[in-house]
Each structure stands twice: as C-alpha cells, then as structure tokens.
Amino acid sequence: MAVVNDGARIDGSEPTDPTVEDAALAGAVPARPRTLVVLHWLTVLCLLLAAAVILARTQVDGRPLRHGLLDVHRHLGLCVLLLFALRVASRLRSGGLPDAARPGWPMRAAAALTHAGLYASILVLPLLGWMLSDAQDKPVRFFGLALPRLVQPDFDLADQLQAWHREAAWALLALVLLHLLAALWHHFVLRDAVLRGMWPVRR
C-alpha cells in the first residue's frame, strides 16, 4: 500500500509504527531509549576518568595528593555502580532494547555474551574496589555518606582483592575493546545504524 511522505496512508487510515524488520530493511534501527543512551555515556565517562586518575596516581609524589586521587577513584567507581543499578532498572522498565537484524545466530550470541560480560564487569569491578577498601580498614564514603562494610578488615584478603580488582580491570578493558570493534564493524562493514543509535547527539 502506498504512503505519502508525512507517513499518512493514501486511503486515510492511520499509519502503523515501524517494526524492527522494517527499520532493518531501511538500513536503520529503532532509536534506543534516551535514558539508556545517557546512562551508557555517563558510565563510559566515569570509567575513563577512574582509569586516568588511578594511572596519574602512580606518577605523582606526596601522600596527601596520592590519597586524594585514590579517593576520587573510589567515588568514580561508586558512580559506576550507581549507574549500573540505574541502567538495569531502565532496561527492565523498557522491556528490552530494539535491535538491528543480524546475519545469523553466531553474531547474536557473540553480542549477547559480550554485553553480559560488560554488565558483569561493570558490577564486579567497583564491588571489588569497595571490598578492598574495607579489607584495608579504610571506611568507604560516597559524597560524605558512610557506606556499610562488605568485608571485615583483613590484610591478607586485601592483597587477594587487589589482585582480583586489577584482573577485573584488564578483563573489562578487553571487553570494551571487543565492544568497540563490533560497533565499528556494524558502522563500516554492515553499514547499519547500530552505532548511530547509541550516539549521544542525534540528528
């Protein structure tokens, strides 16, 4: 049935909402909920800043400055944890995300596994940092609010948690790089709108 440019049908009936299949055939995907896009990029920003701060801490001298940078790192990690909770709540409320059609189940399975790994890493990494501070007997505060202890002071446990925290950071970095490569593959090879759908500024 023919349609006019403004979306109204020639026979006068009301236009229906485009389906995922229609969008895929047109080379586009339905737009992601704006809230999820904002939370996604806020998470990216906090992770980048947390990494930059902890790397800068290794290059400076002076106990007060190093302590201050570590405190900033902790706050950024807790922000990531808060954003994780908001993202999960938003995903549950939206009932799932619209998605582009992908050629075959291997790509769908790879995308699902990568996203699951990213979500798990974003949850586990700040929790390990929180437990590490507790194990080192350093009370955790979030903008002045005292947070409950997750573990009791234990310096042997602190050493293990520090190693796990570092390994989780490397695992997250690997998943982020894989996620980035997949986004570039969609944009430059498949030439769909997956990357544009998550871009913070939309046309």
Side-chain angles (χ1 to χ4, degrees):
M1 184 177 293
V3 297
V4 295
N5 290 337
D6 62 359
R9 296 181 182 275
I10 291 177
D11 62 5
S13 62
E14 291 295 326
T16 57
D17 293 333
T19 62
V20 173
E21 289 79 7
D22 294 333
L25 289 173
V29 292
R32 267 55 173 171
R34 189 64 180 169
T35 300
L36 282 175
V37 174
V38 172
L39 292 173
H40 172 272
W41 289 106
L42 284 176
T43 303
V44 171
L45 178 62
C46 287
L47 287 171
L48 288 174
L49 290 174
V53 166
I54 206 64
L55 290 173
R57 184 175 179 267
T58 64
Q59 303 300 317
V60 300
D61 296 321
R63 185 181 181 88
L65 180 56
R66 289 173 60 84
H67 179 77
L69 289 173
L70 183 58
D71 194 49
V72 171
H73 178 77
R74 289 195 189 101
H75 276 77
L76 289 167
L78 292 170
C79 284
V80 169
L81 193 59
L82 176 60
L83 289 168
F84 170 85
L86 293 175
R87 289 180 71 173
V88 170
S90 184
R91 285 287 295 267
L92 292 175
R93 183 179 180 183
S94 67
L97 293 178
D99 208 352
R102 296 192 188 91
W105 66 265
M107 188 173 289
R108 292 195 298 271
L113 289 173
T114 302
H115 279 90
L118 283 167
Y119 269 77
S121 297
I122 291 171
L123 172 63
V124 169
L125 188 60
L127 284 177
L128 286 172
W130 185 347
M131 289 189 290
L132 173 59
S133 294
D134 286 342
Q136 293 173 335
D137 200 18
K138 297 176 181 177
V140 178
R141 295 182 176 272
F142 188 52
F143 295 106
L145 177 65
L147 300 183
R149 284 187 179 275
L150 299 181
V151 298
Q152 294 301 314
D154 184 331
F155 290 99
D156 290 332
L157 177 60
D159 290 339
Q160 185 64 64
L161 288 169
Q162 190 167 39
W164 288 344
H165 188 62
R166 187 183 305 110
E167 290 167 4
W170 283 112
L172 177 58
L173 176 60
L175 288 168
V176 166
L177 291 176
L178 183 61
H179 185 61
L180 178 59
L181 288 174
L184 294 176
W185 171 269
H186 273 278
H187 191 71
F188 292 107
V189 179
L190 299 182
R191 296 184 180 278
D192 58 28
V194 168
L195 180 59
R196 293 194 300 274
M198 284 301 295
W199 203 243
V201 178
R202 296 175 182 169
R203 295 180 180 179

